[in-house]
Amino acid sequence: MENINWYPGHMKKTRELIQENLKLVDLVIEVIDSRIPVSSRNPIIDSLIENKLRLIVLNKSDLSDRDENRKWGNRFINEGNKVITMNCMLGSNLDKLNKELQNTQNEKNEIRNMTKSLKLMIVGVPNVGKSSLINRMTGKKSTRTGDKPGVTRGKQWLTLKNGMQLLDTPGILWPKFEDPNVGMNLAFCGSIRDEILDTTDLAYELIKLLEVQYPKLLMERFKLDSISDDTLENMDAIALKRGFILPGKKIDYERTGRTLLDEFRSGKIGNITLEKIKDSE
Ligand SMILES: Nc1nc2c(ncn2[C@@H]2O[C@H](COP(=O)(O)OP(=O)(O)OP(=O)(O)O)[C@@H](O)[C@H]2O)c(=O)[nH]1
Ligand SMILES: [Mg+2]
């Protein structure tokens, strides 16, 4: 399929916003999608943040592979980050996050020799759950969330119960994905506006990955007898099992693709991590 790119004007503005506010904050919380721990890390964010203290939230852990989350967590820790695996729908590990933030505040104050509340900034690609995390941290609906990318616009400072100050930012991508798989992974997980995507092609690419990485889950979910090495055959089999047939006995690829993406995104196919750490690493 054609290379995906999505970089609307507000993302450029957000980049400037992050840059301007960075000097005000003590710690950056980078929220990433645990199903795609490589593709959901924005290299621009990386270059902006540079040496700022960073805490990575491996979010949507309810949708990803638990073993992989553990491995990725270790990897990021080894690279010098603080890491918390979370499910911001339920607020799991919120206590752990709060404790980590409190420790960081204490350490900072000791170095500064004064009592100041920690200032935080939340960054990440669209739709990874930044606003959901903030609502968990404030304990109320402080900021709007939504199941499509680009919900948050403009900056927003909030104060937590413990006095810490927090800046929510809109999700940003970067102008060009060097690796086309990155664009696709982001699209699978809902970080790219669906309106600019060909969902049928995208679903085809997702089946192509799942038939190799998670054939059992694919078979179970769609009650397939076997998995073919021909992706189109698998897509047809899924359509037939679900009865997605148009008049004239044609396969309704549109509906099949839409359904597949929806069921992947909502975790109905199972706990799936599309980017794994190779065991030798
Ligand atoms: N299953 C699951 N869904 C989540 C989790 N966290 C957030 N979501 C959902 O993901 C969608 C996006 O969440 P938001 O908090 O709006 O994401 P955001 O990063 O602020 O998105 P933008 O503002 O568009 O950049 C919403 O439908 C949330 O309910 C999670 O841990 N698990
Ligand atoms: Mg948001």
Side-chain angles (χ1 to χ4, degrees):
M1 71 183 280
E2 258 180 61
N3 282 1
I4 298 167
N5 279 302
W6 185 46
Y7 194 63
H10 79 267
M11 291 192 189
K12 191 170 168 286
K13 283 206 196 100
T14 304
R15 181 182 169 163
E16 287 155 13
L17 171 109
I18 292 175
Q19 212 156 8
E20 281 160 21
N21 287 279
L22 202 59
K23 50 186 175 303
L24 302 176
V25 305
D26 305 296
L27 172 90
V28 174
I29 299 181
E30 182 186 3
V31 184
I32 67 174
D33 188 321
S34 54
R35 292 168 295 178
I36 46 168
V38 179
S39 298
S40 63
R41 296 195 72 191
N42 184 340
I44 287 187
I45 290 180
D46 230 36
S47 64
L48 286 178
I49 296 175
E50 281 181 344
N51 298 325
K52 200 51 88 173
L53 197 58
R54 192 182 324 197
L55 186 150
I56 294 177
V57 168
L58 255 177
N59 195 34
K60 306 204 179 185
S61 62
D62 53 313
L63 303 177
S64 52
D65 205 314
R66 188 178 284 188
D67 277 351
E68 292 298 321
N69 289 342
R70 193 178 33 75
K71 289 185 199 168
W72 278 112
N74 289 337
R75 157 76 67 90
F76 294 139
I77 288 170
N78 289 339
E79 289 172 356
N81 304 289
K82 297 167 185 283
V83 178
I84 316 261
T85 305
M86 293 189 78
N87 164 1
C88 288
M89 286 282 253
L90 293 180
S92 63
N93 276 348
L94 190 65
D95 290 353
K96 218 170 146 187
L97 175 69
N98 283 332
K99 213 183 255 169
E100 192 66 60
L101 295 177
Q102 198 62 52
N103 287 344
T104 309
Q105 180 171 293
N106 296 345
E107 283 164 20
K108 280 257 164 190
N109 281 339
E110 215 160 283
I111 297 167
R112 295 193 275 230
N113 202 15
M114 53 167 91
T115 322
K116 261 173 87 174
S117 295
L118 205 64
K119 280 196 156 180
L120 314 161
M121 184 194 284
I122 304 224
V123 298
V125 300
N127 206 44
V128 283
K130 298 177 293 300
S131 298
S132 304
L133 172 63
I134 286 182
N135 290 344
R136 285 284 159 199
M137 291 169 84
T138 57
K140 58 180 187 223
K141 207 167 168 358
S142 309
T143 171
R144 213 155 62 83
T145 64
D147 64 355
K148 58 180 200 303
V151 171
T152 302
R153 296 289 169 99
K155 73 168 174 181
Q156 181 164 202
W157 279 102
L158 297 158
T159 308
L160 302 184
K161 279 196 214 100
N162 59 15
M164 293 178 191
Q165 303 258 45
L166 189 98
L167 179 65
D168 186 12
T169 64
I172 54 167
L173 294 167
W174 53 108
K176 190 173 187 317
F177 305 127
E178 294 302 332
D179 176 355
N181 290 321
V182 168
M184 259 191 305
N185 284 333
L186 288 164
F188 295 147
C189 294
S191 288
I192 310 250
R193 238 181 115 215
D194 271 339
E195 285 76 0
I196 69 150
L197 299 168
D198 182 324
T199 43
T200 308
D201 283 358
L202 193 65
Y204 175 91
E205 296 296 336
L206 182 58
I207 298 172
K208 205 160 152 185
L209 279 184
L210 296 181
E211 67 194 20
V212 176
Q213 294 198 31
Y214 292 93
K216 260 172 99 179
L217 290 184
L218 206 55
M219 282 170 70
E220 275 164 24
R221 179 68 196 168
F222 297 102
K223 303 190 168 56
L224 308 177
D225 303 322
S226 62
I227 292 283
S228 160
D229 17 339
D230 180 339
T231 303
L232 195 58
E233 271 183 26
N234 292 326
M235 196 163 182
D236 289 353
I238 290 169
L240 290 173
K241 282 287 176 182
R242 289 289 173 94
F244 296 157
I245 310 295
L246 294 166
K249 297 206 170 127
K250 277 210 204 122
I251 287 180
D252 189 342
Y253 285 114
E254 174 87 39
R255 190 162 173 212
T256 310
R258 186 73 265 160
T259 302
L260 201 107
L261 283 175
D262 283 349
E263 297 194 3
F264 165 72
R265 288 175 181 170
S266 58
K268 287 189 181 129
I269 301 179
N271 285 66
I272 292 172
T273 299
L274 294 174
E275 293 175 319
K276 299 187 178 177
I277 289 189
K278 292 177 197 78
D279 280 332
S280 57
E281 283 181 55

